Amino acid sequence: MTITITAFERSPDGGKGLARDTRVRWALEEAGQPYEVRLVSFRAMKEAAHLALHPFGQIPTFEEGELALFETGAIVLHIAERHPGLFPADANARARAVMWMFAALNTVEPPILEIVTVKFVEGDKPWKAERLSLVEDRVRARLTPLAARLGDAEWLDGGFSAGDLLMVSVLLRLRPSGLLNEFPSLAAYVARGEARPAYQRAFAAQLAINAAPAPPAPLLSAG
Ligand code: GTB
């Protein structure tokens, strides 16, 4: 059955891999699963056809036969459950991989997203600098124990898993802030993730779309 995911027709990051379809592409590449991509404009994301797939009008989505999913974490979990490559065979190790997936999305990512909010949504506020400093400290408060737990290990719990895929993806978003470099072991962990051939293929695929010349204006609103 063909797997189809959705991605930005034009990613605001210009193809630096930060939009969440890269996480799904990476999971599919690790699992060796071919997939097709349907590109959606910001306008099409809020139209009925896409809202039927994603109630919040966002990307990415995942379709395979009669199954349609939204939420990156749920999609990566589904891929990891159905195909080898992202979960260990041992049931307890697998439970811990799921734990790290949740830790990435529920514990580490929220303060990182706050940095994005301060910089890009609240950038004109007089209290921006003060708030940014507070939020950066909240990020440090997550990265310090994460680095301690990783220690000098290659991955969070034995071999590479879906937990590492999501944790690396979340930490990647920190790079522009410079905060990642305060934690050399985490910077090296992210670099190991990015060096994986599956990540390289995923990154290249989304970059190819964003590096292509913009379509003519009438197509910009097409789904
Ligand atoms: N919780 C959902 C999930 O994990 O799937 C969140 C999905 C989400 O935030 N989707 C974003 C979206 O569709 C794209 S990834 N936004 C459009 C909208 O809400 O109208 C977030 C994102 C967007 C852009 C960059 N960037 O350019 O750097 C990075 C991340």
Side-chain angles (χ1 to χ4, degrees):
M1 249 178 303
T2 306
I3 293 173
T4 303
I5 68 166
T6 51
F8 281 134
E9 186 179 71
R10 282 278 134 188
S11 185
D13 71 349
K16 294 193 180 72
L18 298 178
R20 290 171 198 234
D21 60 288
T22 304
R23 303 176 186 190
V24 174
R25 292 171 186 270
W26 185 8
L28 288 166
E29 292 287 354
E30 292 284 352
Q33 293 303 303
Y35 62 96
E36 294 181 355
V37 183
R38 192 168 59 250
L39 301 178
V40 286
S41 65
F42 278 95
R43 184 164 140 189
M45 258 179 251
K46 310 301 177 199
E47 290 174 350
H50 189 75
L51 288 172
L53 282 174
H54 196 310
F56 305 112
Q58 297 183 311
I59 60 99
T61 59
F62 172 102
E63 293 159 84
E64 186 177 21
E66 292 182 353
L67 177 67
L69 295 174
F70 63 93
E71 279 300 330
T72 312
I75 297 169
V76 172
L77 177 62
H78 171 75
I79 296 165
E81 279 179 335
R82 297 294 162 96
H83 306 283
L86 286 163
F87 272 162
D90 175 74
N92 285 349
R94 184 180 165 135
R96 290 194 300 274
V98 174
M99 170 186 78
W100 281 115
M101 293 175 73
F102 277 85
L105 299 179
N106 283 359
T107 303
V108 179
E109 188 163 43
I112 293 175
L113 293 180
E114 282 301 297
I115 291 188
V116 178
T117 304
V118 178
K119 286 190 175 167
F120 299 105
V121 183
E122 302 166 346
D124 58 345
K125 305 292 183 205
W127 35 260
K128 177 195 166 183
E130 204 177 347
R131 176 155 154 71
L132 185 59
S133 164
L134 288 173
V135 170
E136 286 182 343
D137 280 347
R138 281 183 208 132
V139 172
R140 289 186 185 97
R142 292 300 184 218
L143 300 192
T144 301
L146 181 65
R149 175 58 79 96
L150 180 67
D152 56 8
E154 201 175 3
W155 306 113
L156 287 166
D157 193 297
F160 176 84
S161 79
D164 295 296
L165 185 151
L166 288 179
M167 191 65 82
V168 166
S169 301
V170 160
L171 295 177
L172 265 169
R173 296 199 66 175
L174 269 182
R175 191 173 275 139
S177 73
L179 274 177
L180 193 57
N181 289 335
E182 293 180 20
F183 298 83
S185 67
L186 294 182
Y189 169 65
V190 169
R192 275 194 293 282
E194 288 176 301
R196 292 180 72 81
Y199 177 84
Q200 297 281 319
R201 289 193 295 274
F203 183 90
Q206 65 77 37
L207 179 64
I209 289 164
N210 289 286
L219 290 182
L220 280 172
S221 62

Short mmCIF file of all heavy atoms in Angstrom, two decimals, residues 90-146:
data_model
loop_
_atom_site.label_atom_id
_atom_site.label_comp_id
_atom_site.label_asym_id
_atom_site.label_seq_id
_atom_site.Cartn_x
_atom_site.Cartn_y
_atom_site.Cartn_z
N ASP A 90 13.24 -6.18 22.35
CA ASP A 90 12.89 -6.42 23.75
C ASP A 90 11.75 -5.49 24.19
O ASP A 90 11.80 -4.28 23.96
CB ASP A 90 14.14 -6.17 24.62
CG ASP A 90 13.83 -6.27 26.10
OD1 ASP A 90 13.64 -7.39 26.57
OD2 ASP A 90 13.73 -5.21 26.77
N ALA A 91 10.73 -6.08 24.85
CA ALA A 91 9.52 -5.31 25.18
C ALA A 91 9.82 -4.16 26.14
O ALA A 91 9.27 -3.06 26.00
CB ALA A 91 8.46 -6.24 25.77
N ASN A 92 10.70 -4.39 27.11
CA ASN A 92 10.99 -3.31 28.06
C ASN A 92 11.79 -2.19 27.38
O ASN A 92 11.55 -1.01 27.63
CB ASN A 92 11.76 -3.85 29.27
CG ASN A 92 10.86 -4.62 30.21
OD1 ASN A 92 9.63 -4.59 30.06
ND2 ASN A 92 11.45 -5.32 31.17
N ALA A 93 12.72 -2.59 26.53
CA ALA A 93 13.52 -1.58 25.82
C ALA A 93 12.62 -0.76 24.90
O ALA A 93 12.78 0.46 24.74
CB ALA A 93 14.63 -2.25 25.02
N ARG A 94 11.64 -1.44 24.35
CA ARG A 94 10.68 -0.75 23.47
C ARG A 94 9.83 0.25 24.26
O ARG A 94 9.59 1.38 23.82
CB ARG A 94 9.81 -1.83 22.84
CG ARG A 94 8.82 -1.39 21.85
CD ARG A 94 8.14 -2.65 21.42
NE ARG A 94 6.92 -2.37 20.71
CZ ARG A 94 6.59 -2.98 19.59
NH1 ARG A 94 7.39 -3.86 19.05
NH2 ARG A 94 5.46 -2.69 19.00
N ALA A 95 9.40 -0.16 25.45
CA ALA A 95 8.65 0.76 26.31
C ALA A 95 9.50 1.99 26.64
O ALA A 95 9.00 3.12 26.70
CB ALA A 95 8.20 0.05 27.58
N ARG A 96 10.80 1.76 26.85
CA ARG A 96 11.66 2.91 27.16
C ARG A 96 11.86 3.80 25.93
O ARG A 96 11.96 5.02 26.05
CB ARG A 96 13.01 2.44 27.70
CG ARG A 96 12.92 1.84 29.11
CD ARG A 96 14.30 1.69 29.74
NE ARG A 96 15.19 0.81 28.99
CZ ARG A 96 15.24 -0.52 29.10
NH1 ARG A 96 14.46 -1.14 29.98
NH2 ARG A 96 16.08 -1.23 28.38
N ALA A 97 11.87 3.20 24.74
CA ALA A 97 11.97 4.02 23.51
C ALA A 97 10.73 4.91 23.39
O ALA A 97 10.83 6.10 23.06
CB ALA A 97 12.12 3.12 22.28
N VAL A 98 9.56 4.35 23.71
CA VAL A 98 8.33 5.16 23.68
C VAL A 98 8.41 6.26 24.73
O VAL A 98 8.03 7.41 24.49
CB VAL A 98 7.09 4.26 23.91
CG1 VAL A 98 5.83 5.10 24.03
CG2 VAL A 98 6.94 3.24 22.78
N MET A 99 8.95 5.92 25.89
CA MET A 99 9.12 6.93 26.95
C MET A 99 9.97 8.10 26.45
O MET A 99 9.62 9.27 26.66
CB MET A 99 9.81 6.25 28.15
CG MET A 99 10.28 7.18 29.24
SD MET A 99 11.22 6.23 30.49
CE MET A 99 12.81 6.05 29.65
N TRP A 100 11.04 7.80 25.72
CA TRP A 100 11.90 8.89 25.21
C TRP A 100 11.19 9.69 24.13
O TRP A 100 11.42 10.90 23.98
CB TRP A 100 13.24 8.34 24.72
CG TRP A 100 14.19 8.06 25.85
CD1 TRP A 100 14.67 6.85 26.26
CD2 TRP A 100 14.75 9.03 26.76
NE1 TRP A 100 15.49 7.00 27.35
CE2 TRP A 100 15.56 8.33 27.67
CE3 TRP A 100 14.65 10.42 26.89
CZ2 TRP A 100 16.27 8.97 28.70
CZ3 TRP A 100 15.36 11.06 27.90
CH2 TRP A 100 16.15 10.34 28.80
N MET A 101 10.32 9.02 23.37
CA MET A 101 9.52 9.78 22.37
C MET A 101 8.66 10.82 23.09
O MET A 101 8.60 11.98 22.69
CB MET A 101 8.61 8.82 21.59
CG MET A 101 9.34 7.85 20.68
SD MET A 101 8.19 6.67 19.91
CE MET A 101 7.37 7.72 18.73
N PHE A 102 8.00 10.37 24.16
CA PHE A 102 7.15 11.31 24.90
C PHE A 102 8.00 12.38 25.59
O PHE A 102 7.60 13.55 25.64
CB PHE A 102 6.30 10.55 25.94
CG PHE A 102 5.05 9.95 25.36
CD1 PHE A 102 5.07 8.71 24.75
CD2 PHE A 102 3.85 10.63 25.43
CE1 PHE A 102 3.92 8.15 24.20
CE2 PHE A 102 2.69 10.09 24.89
CZ PHE A 102 2.72 8.84 24.27
N ALA A 103 9.14 11.98 26.10
CA ALA A 103 10.01 12.96 26.77
C ALA A 103 10.44 14.05 25.79
O ALA A 103 10.47 15.24 26.13
CB ALA A 103 11.24 12.26 27.36
N ALA A 104 10.76 13.63 24.57
CA ALA A 104 11.18 14.61 23.55
C ALA A 104 10.05 15.60 23.28
O ALA A 104 10.26 16.82 23.30
CB ALA A 104 11.58 13.88 22.26
N LEU A 105 8.84 15.08 23.06
CA LEU A 105 7.74 15.94 22.62
C LEU A 105 7.05 16.67 23.78
O LEU A 105 6.56 17.78 23.59
CB LEU A 105 6.70 15.10 21.85
CG LEU A 105 7.24 14.43 20.58
CD1 LEU A 105 6.13 13.60 19.92
CD2 LEU A 105 7.79 15.44 19.59
N ASN A 106 7.00 16.03 24.94
CA ASN A 106 6.22 16.62 26.04
C ASN A 106 7.06 17.37 27.06
O ASN A 106 6.53 18.22 27.78
CB ASN A 106 5.47 15.52 26.81
CG ASN A 106 4.25 15.04 26.07
OD1 ASN A 106 3.95 15.54 25.01
ND2 ASN A 106 3.55 14.08 26.63
N THR A 107 8.33 17.02 27.16
CA THR A 107 9.15 17.61 28.23
C THR A 107 10.25 18.52 27.68
O THR A 107 10.50 19.59 28.22
CB THR A 107 9.78 16.49 29.11
OG1 THR A 107 8.71 15.68 29.63
CG2 THR A 107 10.58 17.05 30.25
N VAL A 108 10.88 18.10 26.61
CA VAL A 108 12.02 18.89 26.08
C VAL A 108 11.55 19.92 25.06
O VAL A 108 12.02 21.06 25.06
CB VAL A 108 13.10 17.94 25.49
CG1 VAL A 108 14.26 18.75 24.92
CG2 VAL A 108 13.61 16.98 26.57
N GLU A 109 10.61 19.55 24.19
CA GLU A 109 10.25 20.48 23.12
C GLU A 109 9.49 21.73 23.58
O GLU A 109 9.73 22.82 23.04
CB GLU A 109 9.46 19.75 22.02
CG GLU A 109 9.25 20.66 20.79
CD GLU A 109 8.84 19.91 19.53
OE1 GLU A 109 7.99 19.01 19.63
OE2 GLU A 109 9.38 20.22 18.46
N PRO A 110 8.56 21.63 24.55
CA PRO A 110 7.77 22.83 24.88
C PRO A 110 8.59 24.08 25.18
O PRO A 110 8.33 25.15 24.60
CB PRO A 110 6.89 22.38 26.05
CG PRO A 110 6.70 20.91 25.78
CD PRO A 110 8.03 20.43 25.25
N PRO A 111 9.61 24.04 26.06
CA PRO A 111 10.36 25.29 26.28
C PRO A 111 11.15 25.73 25.04
O PRO A 111 11.37 26.93 24.84
CB PRO A 111 11.29 24.95 27.46
CG PRO A 111 11.35 23.46 27.54
CD PRO A 111 10.05 22.96 26.97
N ILE A 112 11.54 24.77 24.21
CA ILE A 112 12.25 25.13 22.98
C ILE A 112 11.31 25.91 22.05
O ILE A 112 11.69 26.91 21.44
CB ILE A 112 12.82 23.86 22.29
CG1 ILE A 112 13.92 23.26 23.16
CG2 ILE A 112 13.32 24.17 20.88
CD1 ILE A 112 14.49 21.94 22.66
N LEU A 113 10.05 25.47 22.00
CA LEU A 113 9.08 26.19 21.17
C LEU A 113 8.82 27.59 21.71
O LEU A 113 8.51 28.52 20.95
CB LEU A 113 7.77 25.41 21.09
CG LEU A 113 7.84 24.08 20.33
CD1 LEU A 113 6.49 23.40 20.31
CD2 LEU A 113 8.37 24.28 18.92
N GLU A 114 8.97 27.75 23.02
CA GLU A 114 8.79 29.09 23.60
C GLU A 114 9.84 30.06 23.08
O GLU A 114 9.58 31.24 22.90
CB GLU A 114 8.86 29.00 25.14
CG GLU A 114 7.59 28.48 25.78
CD GLU A 114 6.38 29.35 25.42
OE1 GLU A 114 6.37 30.52 25.79
OE2 GLU A 114 5.47 28.86 24.75
N ILE A 115 11.04 29.56 22.85
CA ILE A 115 12.09 30.43 22.29
C ILE A 115 11.65 30.94 20.92
O ILE A 115 11.78 32.13 20.60
CB ILE A 115 13.43 29.67 22.15
CG1 ILE A 115 14.01 29.37 23.53
CG2 ILE A 115 14.43 30.47 21.31
CD1 ILE A 115 15.42 28.81 23.52
N VAL A 116 11.10 30.03 20.12
CA VAL A 116 10.62 30.42 18.79
C VAL A 116 9.53 31.47 18.92
O VAL A 116 9.50 32.47 18.21
CB VAL A 116 10.10 29.17 18.02
CG1 VAL A 116 9.57 29.56 16.66
CG2 VAL A 116 11.20 28.13 17.90
N THR A 117 8.62 31.26 19.88
CA THR A 117 7.52 32.21 20.08
C THR A 117 8.06 33.58 20.47
O THR A 117 7.66 34.61 19.91
CB THR A 117 6.57 31.70 21.19
OG1 THR A 117 6.12 30.41 20.82
CG2 THR A 117 5.37 32.61 21.35
N VAL A 118 8.99 33.60 21.42
CA VAL A 118 9.53 34.90 21.86
C VAL A 118 10.19 35.62 20.68
O VAL A 118 9.96 36.81 20.46
CB VAL A 118 10.57 34.73 23.00
CG1 VAL A 118 11.13 36.09 23.39
CG2 VAL A 118 9.95 34.06 24.20
N LYS A 119 10.97 34.88 19.92
CA LYS A 119 11.74 35.55 18.85
C LYS A 119 10.87 36.00 17.69
O LYS A 119 11.09 37.07 17.12
CB LYS A 119 12.83 34.61 18.34
CG LYS A 119 13.99 34.47 19.32
CD LYS A 119 15.14 33.73 18.67
CE LYS A 119 16.33 33.72 19.62
NZ LYS A 119 17.36 32.77 19.19
N PHE A 120 9.91 35.15 17.31
CA PHE A 120 9.20 35.44 16.07
C PHE A 120 7.79 35.97 16.24
O PHE A 120 7.25 36.59 15.35
CB PHE A 120 9.21 34.20 15.16
CG PHE A 120 10.60 33.78 14.80
CD1 PHE A 120 11.19 32.67 15.38
CD2 PHE A 120 11.36 34.54 13.91
CE1 PHE A 120 12.50 32.31 15.08
CE2 PHE A 120 12.66 34.19 13.60
CZ PHE A 120 13.24 33.07 14.18
N VAL A 121 7.18 35.73 17.39
CA VAL A 121 5.81 36.21 17.59
C VAL A 121 5.81 37.42 18.52
O VAL A 121 5.05 38.35 18.35
CB VAL A 121 4.90 35.09 18.16
CG1 VAL A 121 3.47 35.58 18.30
CG2 VAL A 121 4.97 33.85 17.28
N GLU A 122 6.71 37.40 19.49
CA GLU A 122 6.72 38.47 20.49
C GLU A 122 7.94 39.38 20.34
O GLU A 122 8.31 40.10 21.26
CB GLU A 122 6.69 37.82 21.90
CG GLU A 122 5.47 36.93 22.09
CD GLU A 122 5.55 36.00 23.31
OE1 GLU A 122 6.65 35.83 23.86
OE2 GLU A 122 4.52 35.44 23.68
N GLY A 123 8.55 39.29 19.16
CA GLY A 123 9.81 39.99 18.93
C GLY A 123 9.74 41.50 19.09
O GLY A 123 10.76 42.15 19.33
N ASP A 124 8.53 42.06 18.94
CA ASP A 124 8.41 43.52 19.03
C ASP A 124 8.00 43.99 20.43
O ASP A 124 7.76 45.18 20.63
CB ASP A 124 7.40 44.01 17.99
CG ASP A 124 6.02 43.37 18.20
OD1 ASP A 124 5.94 42.37 18.95
OD2 ASP A 124 5.04 43.87 17.62
N LYS A 125 7.91 43.09 21.37
CA LYS A 125 7.45 43.47 22.71
C LYS A 125 8.60 44.07 23.52
O LYS A 125 9.74 43.58 23.42
CB LYS A 125 6.89 42.25 23.47
CG LYS A 125 5.80 41.52 22.73
CD LYS A 125 4.53 42.35 22.62
CE LYS A 125 3.44 41.57 21.93
NZ LYS A 125 2.45 42.40 21.29
N PRO A 126 8.31 45.05 24.35
CA PRO A 126 9.39 45.67 25.12
C PRO A 126 10.05 44.71 26.12
O PRO A 126 11.18 44.90 26.52
CB PRO A 126 8.68 46.82 25.85
CG PRO A 126 7.23 46.53 25.78
CD PRO A 126 7.01 45.69 24.56
N TRP A 127 9.30 43.65 26.51
CA TRP A 127 9.84 42.70 27.49
C TRP A 127 10.50 41.49 26.84
O TRP A 127 10.82 40.51 27.50
CB TRP A 127 8.73 42.23 28.43
CG TRP A 127 7.37 42.08 27.77
CD1 TRP A 127 6.34 42.96 27.82
CD2 TRP A 127 6.91 40.99 26.94
NE1 TRP A 127 5.26 42.50 27.09
CE2 TRP A 127 5.58 41.29 26.54
CE3 TRP A 127 7.48 39.80 26.50
CZ2 TRP A 127 4.84 40.44 25.73
CZ3 TRP A 127 6.74 38.95 25.68
CH2 TRP A 127 5.43 39.27 25.31
N LYS A 128 10.73 41.58 25.53
CA LYS A 128 11.26 40.42 24.80
C LYS A 128 12.56 39.86 25.43
O LYS A 128 12.67 38.66 25.68
CB LYS A 128 11.52 40.81 23.35
CG LYS A 128 12.13 39.68 22.56
CD LYS A 128 12.72 40.12 21.24
CE LYS A 128 13.60 39.02 20.68
NZ LYS A 128 14.28 39.38 19.45
N ALA A 129 13.53 40.75 25.69
CA ALA A 129 14.84 40.28 26.16
C ALA A 129 14.72 39.57 27.51
O ALA A 129 15.32 38.51 27.73
CB ALA A 129 15.81 41.46 26.25
N GLU A 130 13.88 40.15 28.38
CA GLU A 130 13.72 39.57 29.71
C GLU A 130 13.07 38.18 29.62
O GLU A 130 13.50 37.23 30.26
CB GLU A 130 12.84 40.51 30.54
CG GLU A 130 13.04 40.37 32.03
CD GLU A 130 12.19 41.39 32.79
OE1 GLU A 130 11.65 42.32 32.16
OE2 GLU A 130 12.04 41.21 33.99
N ARG A 131 12.04 38.11 28.79
CA ARG A 131 11.34 36.82 28.64
C ARG A 131 12.24 35.78 27.97
O ARG A 131 12.26 34.61 28.36
CB ARG A 131 10.06 37.02 27.83
CG ARG A 131 9.32 35.74 27.55
CD ARG A 131 7.85 35.98 27.32
NE ARG A 131 7.26 34.95 26.49
CZ ARG A 131 7.05 33.69 26.87
NH1 ARG A 131 7.39 33.28 28.07
NH2 ARG A 131 6.50 32.82 26.04
N LEU A 132 13.01 36.22 26.98
CA LEU A 132 13.89 35.29 26.29
C LEU A 132 14.89 34.68 27.28
O LEU A 132 15.15 33.47 27.26
CB LEU A 132 14.63 36.01 25.15
CG LEU A 132 15.51 35.11 24.27
CD1 LEU A 132 14.69 34.01 23.60
CD2 LEU A 132 16.22 35.94 23.20
N SER A 133 15.40 35.50 28.15
CA SER A 133 16.37 35.02 29.13
C SER A 133 15.73 33.97 30.06
O SER A 133 16.33 32.93 30.35
CB SER A 133 16.89 36.23 29.92
OG SER A 133 17.53 35.83 31.07
N LEU A 134 14.48 34.22 30.48
CA LEU A 134 13.77 33.26 31.33
C LEU A 134 13.55 31.94 30.59
O LEU A 134 13.77 30.85 31.14
CB LEU A 134 12.41 33.83 31.74
CG LEU A 134 12.39 34.96 32.76
CD1 LEU A 134 10.97 35.50 32.92
CD2 LEU A 134 12.92 34.47 34.10
N VAL A 135 13.11 32.06 29.35
CA VAL A 135 12.79 30.86 28.57
C VAL A 135 14.07 30.06 28.29
O VAL A 135 14.07 28.82 28.35
CB VAL A 135 12.07 31.26 27.27
CG1 VAL A 135 11.94 30.09 26.34
CG2 VAL A 135 10.69 31.83 27.58
N GLU A 136 15.15 30.77 28.00
CA GLU A 136 16.42 30.05 27.74
C GLU A 136 16.86 29.28 28.98
O GLU A 136 17.39 28.17 28.87
CB GLU A 136 17.49 31.04 27.28
CG GLU A 136 17.25 31.50 25.85
CD GLU A 136 18.31 32.44 25.31
OE1 GLU A 136 19.07 33.01 26.11
OE2 GLU A 136 18.35 32.61 24.08
N ASP A 137 16.62 29.85 30.14
CA ASP A 137 16.98 29.12 31.37
C ASP A 137 16.11 27.88 31.53
O ASP A 137 16.58 26.85 32.03
CB ASP A 137 16.83 30.04 32.60
CG ASP A 137 18.04 30.95 32.75
OD1 ASP A 137 19.06 30.69 32.08
OD2 ASP A 137 17.95 31.93 33.51
N ARG A 138 14.85 27.97 31.09
CA ARG A 138 13.98 26.78 31.18
C ARG A 138 14.48 25.69 30.22
O ARG A 138 14.39 24.50 30.52
CB ARG A 138 12.54 27.15 30.83
CG ARG A 138 11.85 27.82 31.99
CD ARG A 138 10.40 28.13 31.70
NE ARG A 138 10.03 29.29 32.49
CZ ARG A 138 9.39 30.36 32.04
NH1 ARG A 138 8.98 30.42 30.80
NH2 ARG A 138 9.12 31.36 32.83
N VAL A 139 15.00 26.12 29.08
CA VAL A 139 15.56 25.13 28.15
C VAL A 139 16.81 24.49 28.78
O VAL A 139 16.97 23.26 28.77
CB VAL A 139 15.91 25.78 26.80
CG1 VAL A 139 16.67 24.81 25.90
CG2 VAL A 139 14.63 26.26 26.11
N ARG A 140 17.67 25.33 29.35
CA ARG A 140 18.88 24.78 30.01
C ARG A 140 18.50 23.78 31.11
O ARG A 140 19.17 22.78 31.31
CB ARG A 140 19.71 25.92 30.63
CG ARG A 140 20.40 26.78 29.60
CD ARG A 140 21.34 27.79 30.25
NE ARG A 140 21.87 28.68 29.24
CZ ARG A 140 21.38 29.90 28.97
NH1 ARG A 140 20.36 30.40 29.65
NH2 ARG A 140 21.92 30.64 28.01
N ALA A 141 17.39 24.08 31.80
CA ALA A 141 16.96 23.18 32.88
C ALA A 141 16.52 21.82 32.35
O ALA A 141 16.45 20.84 33.10
CB ALA A 141 15.81 23.83 33.66
N ARG A 142 16.20 21.73 31.08
CA ARG A 142 15.89 20.43 30.45
C ARG A 142 17.16 19.79 29.88
O ARG A 142 17.34 18.57 29.95
CB ARG A 142 14.88 20.61 29.31
CG ARG A 142 13.50 21.03 29.79
CD ARG A 142 12.92 20.01 30.71
NE ARG A 142 11.57 20.35 31.10
CZ ARG A 142 11.06 20.16 32.31
NH1 ARG A 142 11.81 19.65 33.27
NH2 ARG A 142 9.82 20.48 32.57
N LEU A 143 18.01 20.62 29.30
CA LEU A 143 19.20 20.06 28.63
C LEU A 143 20.23 19.54 29.63
O LEU A 143 20.92 18.56 29.34
CB LEU A 143 19.84 21.12 27.72
CG LEU A 143 18.96 21.68 26.59
CD1 LEU A 143 19.81 22.49 25.61
CD2 LEU A 143 18.23 20.57 25.85
N THR A 144 20.31 20.15 30.79
CA THR A 144 21.31 19.72 31.77
C THR A 144 21.07 18.26 32.19
O THR A 144 21.97 17.43 32.08
CB THR A 144 21.32 20.67 32.99
OG1 THR A 144 21.62 21.99 32.50
CG2 THR A 144 22.34 20.26 34.03
N PRO A 145 19.84 17.90 32.64
CA PRO A 145 19.63 16.49 33.00
C PRO A 145 19.66 15.55 31.79
O PRO A 145 20.05 14.39 31.92
CB PRO A 145 18.25 16.47 33.67
CG PRO A 145 17.62 17.78 33.37
CD PRO A 145 18.68 18.74 33.02
N LEU A 146 19.25 16.07 30.64
CA LEU A 146 19.30 15.21 29.44
C LEU A 146 20.75 14.85 29.12
O LEU A 146 21.07 13.68 28.85
CB LEU A 146 18.64 15.93 28.25
CG LEU A 146 18.60 15.14 26.94
CD1 LEU A 146 17.71 13.89 27.08
CD2 LEU A 146 18.09 16.01 25.79
#
